[in-house]
Every structure is written in C-alpha cells, then in structure tokens.
Amino acid sequence: LGAGRLGRVLALTVAPDGGRVAVASHDGRVLLVERDSGDVREVDRSEDGNATGLAFSPDSAWLAWSHAGPHDLRQLKLANATDLSVSEATPLRFRDYAPAFTLDGKHLAFLSARSFDPVYDEHAFDLAFVSGSRPHLITLAATTPSPFGPQRHGRPFDAPDSPRAETPDSEGAPATRVDLEGLLDRIVPFPVEAARYSRLRTAKDGVLWLRHPVRGVLGDSRAGLDAPEPKTRLERYDLGKQRIEEIGADADHFEVTGDGKRVLLWTGEVLKVVPSDRRPAHDDDSDTNITVDLSRVSQIVDPAAEWRQMYDEAGRLMRDNFWRADMNGVDWDGVLERYRPVLDRVATHDDLVDLLWEVQGELGTSHAYVAPTGGRGSAARRQGLLGADISRHEDGGWVVDRVLPSETSDPRARSPLTAPGVAVRAGDAIVAVGGRPVDPVTGPAPLLVGTADKPVELTVSPAGGGDPRHVIVVPVDDEEPLRYHAWVADRRAYVHEHSEGRLGYLHVPDMQAPGWAQIHRDLSVEVAREGLVVDVRENRGGHTSQLVVEKLARRVVGWDLPRDSRPFTYPMDAPRGPVVAVANEFSGSDGDIVNAAIKALGIGPVVGVRTWGGVIGIDSRYRLVDGTLVTQPKYATWMEGYGWGLENHGVDPDVEVVLTPQDAAAGRDPQLDEAIRIALAALTENPAKSAPTLPRASAE
C-alpha cells in the first residue's frame, strides 16, 4: 500500500470476518483498509497523538479505539465500519484506554483512569493519585442491563458451563447493536478496587487484564536491592459468577486466542498456553499448563543485510518523527544517499553505530542518540570496591586515606568500611584480602576482583599500631552514589560555613526520579534558612523541571505559629529569602529548561557558564531489529526570553563565572563562591522573611 497512504503503522487489527484491517498511523489517523479492493479510508484523526487499542466488534460492524486528546487525556470512540460515522463512547475528560468488545457483542469493556482518591505524601505536604485506574464497561444497547446490577430473574445458583458470552462456531458471530443515545450514561465500573491496570482483553465468559503493583521508580522500597520486584498479575473477571480470580501470578504480556478459550502468557523468557477461564494447574505436564518450547525456533541472520535494513529503518524513523516535517531544511534523502556507500564498508556492529551517529548528526539537533544493547559483563567478575580513598605510602603499605560515609536514605550509597563491626578508619592499612597479602605495587584492587556484593575478609593494620584485625566486608560494585552524596555533603558544609549558617544548599543531579528524591532529602531543612543556593551543575536532564520550579517559586505569604513549637511558613517549604541558581556547561536538556524557567519567573539569578543547549526532547520509543535504540528529536521547546533559541545555544548565566581546570584541581569552586556572595548581598538589601510575634492578649 505504500508509506505515503498509511504513514508509519503503529498498530493494526484485523476484523473477525477478515474483510478489513484497522490501522493507527504515526500522524494520528485511524484508517480502514479493505482486503479485496485495497481501498484506504480515513475514519478519524487526532492532532494530539496516535490512536491505540483498535478493536472490532465480533460481527466486524463496529470499530472502537482510544482517541488521543490534549494533556494525556484519552477518550473512546466508535465508528460504523460501513458508513464510517464516528461517535463518542466516552467523554474527553479522563484517560480511557484498552477497549474490547465482549464476545457476545453486548458490551464494550475498557480501562479508565477516573478514580480520584488521593494519598498523602510521606515526605512532603502533598497528595498524589497513586492508584487511579479501574476496568469499566458500557452496555451498547439501551435495553441491555448491567451485568453487575440487579437481574429480573435473579442470578443462577450455579453458573452454566457455557453461558451467554460464548457463541458456538456454528451460529456465527452475534450481532452488535449500538444505541448511541444515552451511551455516555451507560458507563459502569467493574466491582474491583482501583489500581494500576493495563492490556484489557475479553475472553470466554469474562474479561482479563494485567494488574501492576505500585512501586517506586528507583526500587528503593524493596526489602533489599537484591530482593525481587513485586510481580504483575494476570487477573480475570468472570461475568457469569461475578468474581475475580488470578490466572497468572507473574505476567509480562498476554494474548487471547481467537475463540477466547486460551491465553498465551509470556513471563520472562517463558511462553505458556493456559486456559482463559481458570487458574492453570501447577503441573507442567497438564494440558492446562503447556510450555511452548522456544528453543526449537531458529533463524539465520545475514549481518550485512540486517545492517542495511537497520540503516534504512533508522532513516525512516527520523523522517516520520523529527520535530519538523521539513527536516529543518536538511535534504534528508540526500544525507542518507551520501552516507550509503560507507554502509558497504561496515564490518562490525560498532561500525554501524558510528555511522548512524554521523548520519543523525547531520540534522544538528540534540537528543539524536544511537545506543546498542549490551551488558556489564559477567557478574561473577565484577570489581569489588571499598568506598574509600586508598593510596600507596612510602613504606609500600596501602593505607586508607578517607572512608566515604554512608547515606542511609539511599541503599545504593552503602559504605563497606563503615558497616557495623568493621570500623576501618583513615590511617589504617589493608594488609591482606581473603588471606592473600596485598602486593606493594598493585595494591588490593586485583584481590577484590569478583567480590562485589560478596563477603570477603580484610586484614587491617590499625593506624595507632597493635595487632592486625580481621574484618568481614561486603564490597560494592559502584562507588558513584557514595561519592556523589559525599560531594553534596561537602558543598553543603561549605555553603553553611561561608554564610555562617544563613544559606541552605540543594543539588539537583537530574530532572528524573533520582533528582526528585535527592531534593527532598534535605529540602525542609535547607529551605528554612534565610536564603537558598540551588546547584544544577552536571544536571543530566529528564522531565521534572516543572515540579522543581513549583517548589522554588513558592513565596512566603503567611506563617503558622503552633503552641510549643517553632513557626513555619505558609506555604510550607517556601524560600524565605533569595534563591540563586548555579549552572554549567553540563546542565542539559531539562537542566537547560529549569534555568530558563528560573530566569523567566524571576526566581533568582543564574551563576556560572552557559548551559548545554539541547531542549528538543525524545520519547525513546523505537528500537531496531537487534534491539539497538535510536531516538528522534521530536518535542520542540519554546521558552519566554529565548523563543526557539535554547536549542544549540543554552541558557546564558546572569553572572558568568568560569571554573577552570586549575580551580578544579586545587579544590576551588569560584562559581559557588559567587553564588554565596550574591545571596548574602541580597539578604543585606532585603532580609529574609521571619515569623511575627504573637499579638497582645485581647484582655489587655
């Protein structure tokens, strides 16, 4: 049919009668393709994103889908497959998704995020809608009663073996009747609790969906970092028996067979065929629990041919998703042809990755990445690290110069030498590892290979003399969290010291979940000081700058003065005085945007050097055939004061201060020094807001 007619196909589904195919294209269109004639008819389109959840009724007469609206809202729409008349099945108020017709053609089931039951935040004064989704159902004909409501003849004591939802093959598909009048009023929720659901499908006598556990983005809430993640469950609601049951306790993905009687259940690397209407037997030899032997599937790959396909596919993905349809004036087809001769000389996958970097770089736009798959090597050979600075002294001994402190609020920042019972201090020498003497030239590192997260014995000679000690430590495989928290603690202590305790200090490492967690570790304490230095140097970007700016833009307009306690600001966690931001050339992406927003909102000056300058965002949606990730700059950013000029330029500081290599080597931080100076000068002119004294007693 050609890409010009369909665009990039993101989803498709075939009508049960095989007569037509519904297609969701990348440009928001919903299309119907007739099998015999090849005619392509446009059903509908959205200017807010692509359609999802294409689903035909059992008689192929109706098509349902989730239609994209603004701000991540989605509504269900219905189209008559004959005359293409389109109607709203749900209002555009919530996020409605994953529609599916029941097998009797009487209902349209779907998932909807329309439960508003907020939960109080544990660390900050905030409320969040943690579990907002629930399965819902629409009775399509006005006279069809809700399966969850009262029935005229009551419910049978025993559900029949073959209830109304199943239609024998000999009878053909049941007709679907849709009464559009009052359709929006016939939406009813399933009698199940709100949670996090996805992938609703209808099956024999019921409806299936995936239920996801509520878990933190970082995984720090688990019993331990090596503890298993909570599992996603495959659940089934029996429409006849009016009850919910678990089909699979650990599910990644599932599909229902055409007759609705069985489920293909994918868990990890295992594919099983199980019944759709009951829990499968635990016996792998049972006909209700059949494991598909995937080892019998084999394929022959021609790497050179695969690389050519990957090259072309990367080009098409960029063409269809780049933030400007005109490719910002770049002759994209010409670029692909100009580099194509190099493709014939590609000898390894690394060569292909390098080539794709060069090709995508011709667009001169940030976030055009190519990331091959790959791991960290054998876990058994991971280098063990002790969370300390260790150096060779003149006598040939290897001495601990500094022990990095643990950050007890971050399970990744575990310092092995500060563990209970270890008590290794600066000045102690490491004499042996696992009973093997430390080589005076190579030190303990070679002896710690393969010891990460495993207990190992150290022989330590105390700094003050005396007999050697034998301690058991568990090395880590990554010291970055430890060193990061130590770096923040050092900067915070520096700001406190040089401002005589008047200024607080926060560092924001990224605009993602780790950065949001880091801000809140010390937000209440640091923002309560007279002024605040917000350090966004080295910020790796993300998408949470709006949340960060909301915190920084708060203004004290009142005070709460509880009896027998210190007063606190209204609103809470609002800066009492000046806010000064510090940025550098490694503040990028959303780290660019947060600095532009700080300036646009007048929150405070930015000190440092011009930021990275990459603000055309990505969604990291596409991988090539071998799993290589390729990204397409898609989401352009316009900012007050800069217009479109942030991309490839960055945010200019209000006060430019360059941190030279000589400064870094000497441990100096002139950027932080200037931020402190500016904040203290601002306090001299405008003192921080402070709590008022209580009024005089009314009796006086």
Side-chain angles (χ1 to χ4, degrees):
L1 292 172
R5 301 178 68 184
L6 297 184
R8 177 164 291 275
V9 175
L10 299 182
L12 63 83
T13 187
V14 180
D17 64 7
R20 55 180 60 93
V21 176
V23 173
S25 67
H26 76 285
D27 53 7
R29 293 179 296 159
V30 175
L31 307 169
L32 276 182
V33 183
E34 299 298 325
R35 180 192 62 185
D36 295 333
S37 65
D39 290 343
V40 179
R41 297 185 292 164
E42 182 174 317
V43 180
D44 200 8
R45 70 166 61 209
S46 169
E47 296 181 354
D48 296 300
N50 58 278
T52 62
L54 301 169
F56 279 102
S57 60
D59 62 356
S60 304
W62 295 87
L63 174 68
W65 70 93
S66 177
H67 187 84
H71 308 298
D72 292 329
L73 299 178
R74 304 190 75 91
Q75 67 177 142
L76 299 191
K77 286 193 173 184
L78 278 171
N80 186 301
T82 302
D83 61 18
L84 300 191
S85 57
V86 176
S87 304
E88 293 185 343
T90 65
L92 184 58
R93 295 182 59 205
F94 311 110
R95 182 167 56 89
D96 300 332
Y97 58 105
F101 290 89
T102 54
L103 299 190
D104 59 6
K106 294 182 178 181
H107 305 94
L108 181 66
F110 65 100
L111 297 172
S112 180
R114 60 176 71 192
S115 177
F116 294 89
D117 188 5
V119 176
Y120 276 99
D121 191 290
E122 188 73 17
H123 295 295
F125 183 63
D126 205 348
L127 287 164
F129 301 104
V130 179
S131 299
S133 293
R134 180 182 278 126
H136 287 70
L137 181 143
I138 305 173
T139 57
L140 297 174
T143 56
T144 300
S146 165
F148 316 124
Q151 308 294 315
R152 181 185 175 195
H153 299 292
R155 299 189 185 281
F157 182 76
D158 292 316
D161 293 334
S162 300
R164 61 191 180 281
E166 183 182 4
T167 302
D169 295 338
S170 59
E171 296 182 12
T176 298
R177 172 185 164 190
V178 179
D179 294 327
L180 296 175
E181 183 178 354
L183 189 66
L184 300 182
D185 297 322
R186 299 199 297 272
I187 300 172
V188 292
F190 278 69
V192 299
E193 65 179 354
R196 293 192 172 186
Y197 297 99
S198 71
R199 199 166 183 78
L200 181 145
R201 296 290 186 271
T202 54
K204 177 179 180 291
D205 307 338
V207 180
L208 296 93
W209 54 67
L210 293 178
R211 178 171 176 171
H212 305 276
V214 176
R215 54 191 177 193
V217 177
L218 305 178
D220 293 353
S221 300
R222 290 175 291 168
L225 290 179
D226 56 349
E229 291 275 10
K231 305 298 184 182
T232 293
R233 303 201 302 261
L234 173 60
E235 294 181 338
R236 174 182 181 270
Y237 189 88
D238 191 306
L239 291 171
K241 299 177 181 178
Q242 296 286 292
R243 69 184 186 191
I244 192 171
E245 54 193 349
E246 184 180 283
I247 300 297
D250 183 8
D252 294 327
H253 189 78
F254 77 96
E255 290 286 354
V256 181
T257 56
D259 60 5
K261 297 180 180 180
R262 290 184 175 270
V263 171
L264 299 175
L265 179 60
W266 184 268
T267 301
E269 297 299 322
V270 178
L271 181 65
K272 290 189 175 183
V273 180
V274 299
S276 68
D277 60 349
R278 62 188 183 278
R279 182 193 294 269
H282 292 295
D283 183 4
D284 288 340
D285 295 328
S286 169
D287 60 359
T288 66
N289 191 354
I290 302 171
T291 299
V292 180
D293 184 7
L294 297 177
S295 65
R296 298 172 60 194
V297 179
S298 62
Q299 61 180 348
I300 298 175
V301 175
D302 178 351
E306 187 173 79
W307 296 336
R308 289 192 295 271
Q309 188 276 336
M310 292 168 67
Y311 181 88
D312 291 335
E313 182 71 5
R316 287 190 291 267
L317 286 168
M318 188 65 76
R319 177 200 64 196
D320 292 343
N321 292 279
F322 192 65
W323 68 285
R324 291 182 62 112
D326 64 0
M327 306 303 288
N328 206 23
V330 174
D331 178 7
W332 185 237
D333 289 336
V335 168
L336 294 173
E337 289 306 311
R338 187 165 73 253
Y339 280 90
R340 193 174 299 278
V342 182
L343 186 62
D344 295 332
R345 305 191 66 175
V346 166
T348 67
H349 188 269
D350 287 344
D351 290 346
L352 177 69
V353 170
D354 289 343
L355 175 59
L356 291 177
W357 273 106
E358 294 296 325
V359 172
Q360 297 192 162
E362 291 286 339
L363 293 166
T365 306
S366 63
H367 295 89
Y369 301 140
V370 183
T373 58
R376 301 178 59 187
S378 171
R381 301 299 296 168
R382 287 182 300 164
Q383 177 69 48
L385 303 169
L386 298 178
D389 296 334
I390 304 172
S391 65
R392 182 180 184 274
H393 284 215
E394 293 181 356
D395 61 0
W398 285 80
V399 177
V400 175
D401 299 317
R402 180 194 185 196
V403 177
L404 297 171
S406 289
E407 171 51 62
T408 56
S409 67
D410 184 352
R412 293 167 182 78
R414 173 181 62 82
S415 185
L417 300 186
T418 65
V422 177
V424 174
R425 306 283 189 259
D428 294 349
I430 299 177
V431 178
V433 176
R436 292 177 292 175
V438 171
D439 186 279
V441 176
T442 60
L447 302 178
L448 291 168
V449 172
T451 64
D453 296 323
K454 300 175 183 177
V456 63
E457 183 186 76
L458 299 183
T459 304
V460 179
S461 177
D467 295 335
R469 299 175 55 237
H470 300 279
V471 297
I472 302 298
V473 300
V474 181
V476 296
D477 69 342
D478 183 10
E479 287 182 344
E480 181 183 350
L482 270 173
R483 295 192 178 276
Y484 168 72
H485 286 293
W487 182 88
V488 172
D490 289 346
R491 298 299 180 279
R492 178 168 292 130
Y494 185 89
V495 171
H496 291 174
E497 178 185 355
H498 287 76
S499 68
E500 297 181 343
R502 301 177 69 189
L503 301 180
Y505 173 87
L506 294 174
H507 183 258
V508 191
D510 56 55
M511 296 300 171
Q512 302 170 52
W516 192 240
Q518 177 61 22
I519 293 170
H520 285 85
R521 282 190 171 91
D522 299 283
L523 176 66
S524 295
V525 173
E526 296 305 301
V527 82
R529 298 178 188 269
E530 294 180 60
L532 184 65
V533 175
V534 180
D535 195 344
V536 289
R537 292 177 293 182
E538 321 295 325
N539 189 284
R540 299 172 179 176
H543 55 271
T544 60
S545 64
Q546 298 179 59
L547 303 178
V548 174
V549 168
E550 284 182 11
K551 295 281 188 180
L552 300 179
R554 291 182 176 181
R555 186 169 65 90
V556 177
V557 297
W559 290 85
D560 284 302
L561 289 83
R563 182 174 174 176
D564 299 326
S565 298
R566 282 189 285 186
F568 54 89
T569 64
Y570 180 90
M572 294 178 65
D573 293 336
R576 295 173 50 211
V579 175
V580 181
V582 189
N584 66 2
E585 64 272 29
F586 300 113
S587 305
S589 193
D590 216 27
D592 288 299
I593 293 172
V594 74
N595 285 286
I598 287 171
K599 295 181 67 172
L601 294 171
I603 294 173
V606 176
V607 176
V609 296
R610 181 157 56 96
T611 62
W612 180 55
V615 296
I616 298 182
I618 54 177
D619 50 25
S620 301
R621 183 173 189 170
Y622 297 105
R623 291 183 179 272
L624 302 179
V625 64
D626 70 345
T628 298
L629 174 70
V630 288
T631 63
Q632 303 80 38
K634 183 176 182 179
Y635 303 94
T637 298
W638 183 97
M639 291 294 292
E640 182 178 310
Y642 284 89
W644 303 107
L646 276 182
E647 179 70 18
N648 285 327
H649 181 82
V651 176
D652 295 298
D654 296 292
V655 180
E656 184 175 47
V657 179
V658 177
L659 194 154
T660 66
Q662 294 86 347
D663 290 327
R668 297 187 296 266
D669 195 339
Q671 295 172 336
L672 196 57
D673 290 339
E674 182 63 12
I676 294 170
R677 187 196 68 77
I678 291 174
L680 291 176
L683 281 174
T684 301
E685 295 185 10
N686 297 293
K689 293 186 177 182
S690 57
T693 58
L694 289 174
R696 296 176 62 183
S698 59
E700 299 178 6

